[in-house]
Amino acid sequence: MLGGSEPAPPPLARSLTEPLSNEEIDGMDKFELRRALIALNLPSSGKVESLKERLRDAQRQEDEV
C-alpha cells in the first residue's frame, strides 16, 4: 500500500505478458520498476539495483515453471 504523500507510480510502457529483457530492466527507472513489481504482487520497496534484481529473479522463476 502506498503512503498518503507518495504518488502512484506511472503505468508501464508495455505489458508484462512476456518477460522483459535485461536491457529493458536496466533502462527502467524506480517508478517503472515499482509498477512492474506491484503488477507481479512482489515487494516494491528498496534501492533501484535491488528492485532490478527482484524483477529479474521473478522472471527467472516464471521461466522455470
Side-chain angles (χ1 to χ4, degrees):
M1 183 179 267
L2 296 174
S5 63
E6 272 186 71
L12 289 172
R14 75 175 188 84
S15 168
L16 293 178
T17 57
E18 294 184 22
L20 298 166
S21 69
N22 282 330
E23 292 79 20
E24 289 173 308
I25 293 172
D26 286 337
M28 294 171 86
D29 64 24
K30 187 170 187 168
F31 295 110
E32 292 171 318
L33 291 163
R34 286 182 59 217
R35 190 66 170 172
L37 291 166
I38 289 169
L40 296 172
N41 294 318
L42 294 170
S44 61
S45 63
K47 295 181 179 182
V48 171
E49 288 306 315
S50 297
L51 299 178
K52 288 179 182 181
E53 193 56 38
R54 190 175 300 143
L55 185 54
R56 286 186 186 104
D57 288 344
Q59 292 190 125
R60 279 193 288 270
Q61 290 175 3
E62 284 292 320
D63 287 344
E64 294 173 2
V65 173

